[in-house]
Amino acid sequence: MTEVLLTHLDLLMFVVAIAALLRGYPVAFTLAGIGLVFALLGAWFEIGYFATGDLGFLKPFYSRIFGIMDETNEVLVAVPLFIFMGVMLERSQIAGDLLETMGRLFGQLPGGLGFSVTFVGMLLAASTGIVGATVVTMGMISLPSMLKHGYSRSLACGSIAASGTLGQIIPPSIVLVILGDAISNEYIEARRNAGDWAPDPVSVGDIFAGAMVPGLMLVGLYFLYQAAVAILSPASAPPMRLEETGRASAGQIVRVLVPPIALIVAVLGSILAGIATPTEAAAVGAVGAILLAGARFREGGAWPQYAAFAGIAGALLLSNSFDLRVTREVIEPADRIAIWAAGACCALIALGIGSSLLAALRRKTAETGRPVLTDVMQSTTRVTCMVFVILIGAQLFNLTFRGLGGEETVQEILDALPGGAWGALAAVMLVIFILGFFLDFLEIVFVVVPIMAPALFSYSNPDGSVFFDPVWVAVLIAVNLQTSFLTPPFGFALFYLRGVAPPEVRTLDIYRGVAPFVLLQLVMLGVVAAFPALATWLPSLVFE
């Protein structure tokens, strides 16, 4: 028995990690601790790359951490910026206004409230990308209204929980940023090990573009399901009575819709147009969120914010029309004027940001009584630290797993499966789906993806090119990971909704409600698997 355990110490390490995580131990310290313990066991029994009896194989751990935290790693800089953008927009109550206005716009239709929830979930996904904030906000505002107007408890809960998870697949998404960085690193390393020393790089922008079409198609599936329920079972999704809500005016709709849509266009448009990298676009989103919050909070009118938006538009126009480099020896008169004009635009932007930050400091949150900016900064720091501490712990875990020969073991297991490369892909998707019942998406991305992805990218076509497109694989994993928020017993969206649902809503109602949406996500996973062009067409068109 001892011989068997020592022979499969790498697999035992994985099983122990899952068991410890299910017991509720802190993720980062669990991964790092198990990695260190099993590295010591490997050195003691001289297994795998620890056959020398020491921990020399762990020496690259420092360089890995330095590579993650190095200022040259611009990709992960986008993580705190996108988190800040999402938290600031959530604190500025944009979601509440969207839900109220869209409910008045679509509510008179059968199933209209469900359509409103899905539409708002899509907008919030593309502007905030934070599942917890979206589900809690929609649960507090929309769930009581849907129940009041006679909606089925399960349909109402399922619509809110599923719409809240759209932030995982619709860019800009924290999951896509982290997943894109992991896939890019593992893809390049796997291709080099396979003898391809010049693989085409994969960027987060490619992953963003690849997820756009599947994400919007998933929204369409949600709409179709809700429409089918409204037609086949009208009592489950009745229309709202107009006399209770009133009709939303065109001015209200424009005032509520234009700000988040403009921010989405600024962030995603700058990435897809090649104007900005995802990190630079995240900075644009953070600035835009500050200005939108300032426009809502400032009591003396929002003219500084409008001036800042004009400054941003002017700076972009000038940068595309003139050469604004100031380090040149010879500067043409027209360029000199443009440089001064760009400086004036930057001054307007600084004025708007400063005014917005002051307004966010003066405005107190109803829940804590602290300034909004204080809450936003604390939440951003807390979530960012959680992400990076887990990432550091996962690096030690993955390094030890490889030192024990785990990478070769995984490759052997996948090669032994029927179906060749396709059987390996199906097995990886199944493992990720099952682990989604128990583990958080961060744990899956940081632990499972680095273990499984190299095996997938090691498969080659007869001409030596990679068999699986990395963008397509990343989108498949992203759609698969989205189910982890809805699958009991540990689906985070279920916990968020359970925490704000009225007492008459049972946990069983929530589970029943999300089941059809999980099936829809699996259908979308199958569609993307069957038609890879859904994920690869837009990146090839935009970044060709």
Side-chain angles (χ1 to χ4, degrees):
M1 183 64 179
T2 303
E3 185 67 25
V4 173
L5 292 178
L6 292 178
T7 304
H8 300 288
L9 200 60
D10 47 0
L11 298 181
L12 178 63
M13 173 185 178
F14 192 74
V15 173
V16 171
I18 294 177
L21 292 173
L22 291 178
R23 289 294 303 271
Y25 294 115
V27 176
F29 304 115
T30 297
L31 294 177
I34 290 176
L36 184 58
V37 168
F38 275 80
L40 293 172
L41 289 175
W44 180 267
F45 293 104
E46 299 182 352
I47 297 174
Y49 290 97
F50 297 101
T52 57
D54 58 31
L55 300 179
F57 188 76
L58 297 183
K59 288 182 179 179
F61 177 63
Y62 167 77
S63 59
R64 284 192 173 203
I65 301 304
F66 185 77
I68 294 171
M69 300 302 177
D70 186 13
E71 67 274 6
T72 60
N73 187 358
E74 294 185 359
V75 174
L76 294 181
V77 175
V79 172
L81 292 173
F82 278 131
I83 293 173
F84 176 89
M85 180 181 77
V87 176
M88 179 62 82
L89 289 175
E90 188 264 330
R91 295 292 193 273
S92 61
Q93 301 174 349
I94 288 178
D97 288 350
L98 278 171
L99 285 168
E100 180 182 352
T101 304
M102 292 300 100
R104 294 168 61 188
L105 179 63
F106 297 115
Q108 289 77 40
L109 300 173
L113 278 178
F115 298 152
S116 302
V117 167
T118 301
F119 182 76
V120 172
M122 178 186 67
L123 290 181
L124 293 178
S127 55
T128 66
I130 299 179
V131 170
T134 303
V135 173
V136 168
T137 301
M138 293 198 299
M140 293 177 64
I141 297 175
S142 293
L143 185 55
S145 178
M146 297 175 81
L147 297 178
K148 173 185 175 183
H149 290 281
Y151 267 68
S152 162
R153 294 176 183 173
S154 59
L155 177 62
C157 293
S159 299
I160 292 173
S163 300
T165 64
L166 288 172
Q168 302 309 300
I169 186 63
I170 295 180
S173 163
I174 304 301
V175 173
L176 294 180
V177 173
I178 298 172
L179 181 61
D181 183 67
I183 287 289
S184 176
N185 296 334
E186 300 302 331
Y187 168 70
I188 292 176
E189 183 176 347
R191 294 312 300 163
R192 287 176 178 172
N193 292 336
D196 182 4
W197 292 96
D200 294 330
V202 179
S203 69
V204 174
D206 294 324
I207 309 299
F208 277 8
M212 282 290 293
V213 174
L216 295 177
M217 289 181 64
L218 186 60
V219 174
L221 287 179
Y222 287 0
F223 278 127
L224 289 176
Y225 168 71
Q226 290 167 338
V229 171
I231 294 172
L232 300 177
S233 178
S236 299
M240 296 172 60
R241 290 181 292 274
L242 183 62
E243 60 272 13
E244 292 186 7
T245 60
R247 193 180 300 276
S249 66
Q252 290 175 322
I253 295 172
V254 170
R255 187 172 64 253
V256 169
L257 281 181
V258 167
I261 291 178
L263 186 61
I264 293 169
V265 171
V267 174
L268 293 182
S270 61
I271 296 173
L272 299 180
I275 299 174
T277 65
T279 302
E280 293 166 345
V284 171
V287 170
I290 292 172
L291 294 176
L292 290 180
R296 293 181 61 85
F297 295 153
R298 194 172 185 277
E299 298 177 355
W303 64 265
Q305 286 73 35
Y306 295 142
F309 286 124
I312 293 173
L316 291 175
L317 181 62
L318 290 170
S319 64
N320 289 327
S321 305
F322 298 93
D323 187 352
L324 302 182
R325 293 175 300 162
V326 297
T327 57
R328 293 174 290 162
E329 293 183 1
V330 178
I331 302 178
E332 299 296 330
D335 290 343
R336 191 179 299 275
I337 294 173
I339 290 172
W340 282 104
C345 290
C346 291
L348 292 177
I349 297 172
L351 173 65
I353 293 176
S355 174
S356 300
L357 293 176
L358 287 175
L361 279 172
R362 294 193 182 106
R363 177 65 65 95
K364 307 286 186 180
T365 58
E367 295 83 3
T368 64
R370 295 193 300 266
V372 169
L373 186 60
T374 301
D375 274 355
V376 170
M377 294 303 297
Q378 288 182 349
S379 297
T380 301
T381 303
R382 189 180 303 113
V383 176
T384 302
C385 290
M386 177 192 71
V387 170
F388 281 94
V389 170
I390 293 175
L391 180 54
I392 292 172
Q395 292 298 315
L396 181 56
F397 180 91
N398 293 332
L399 193 60
T400 300
F401 185 81
R402 291 181 176 181
L404 294 174
E407 201 168 88
E408 292 79 5
T409 302
V410 171
Q411 185 70 62
E412 292 172 1
I413 293 174
L414 294 181
D415 287 341
L417 294 174
W422 291 104
L425 178 65
V428 170
M429 291 298 116
L430 180 62
V431 168
I432 292 176
F433 177 72
I434 294 175
L435 290 179
F437 282 81
F438 310 104
L439 302 182
D440 182 23
F441 75 95
L442 286 174
E443 299 153 18
I444 296 176
V445 171
F446 289 149
V447 177
V448 179
V449 171
I451 292 173
M452 300 291 188
L456 292 180
F457 295 138
S458 66
Y459 293 101
S460 300
N461 291 310
D463 61 357
S465 61
V466 64
F467 191 85
F468 294 121
D469 187 287
V471 174
W472 176 60
V473 172
V475 173
L476 287 176
I477 293 175
V479 176
N480 203 342
L481 284 174
Q482 190 179 353
T483 63
S484 67
F485 280 87
L486 295 178
T487 47
F490 297 119
F492 280 85
L494 310 180
F495 284 116
Y496 294 139
L497 187 58
R498 174 68 273 175
V500 298
E504 64 268 20
V505 175
R506 300 171 300 168
T507 302
L508 186 60
D509 294 327
I510 300 177
Y511 286 177
R512 286 175 176 172
V514 300
F517 290 95
V518 172
L519 292 178
L520 291 176
Q521 291 175 350
L522 294 178
V523 168
M524 193 68 241
L525 182 65
V527 170
V528 176
F531 302 99
L534 292 173
T536 59
W537 168 74
L538 188 58
S540 63
L541 178 67
V542 173
F543 300 111
E544 185 175 2

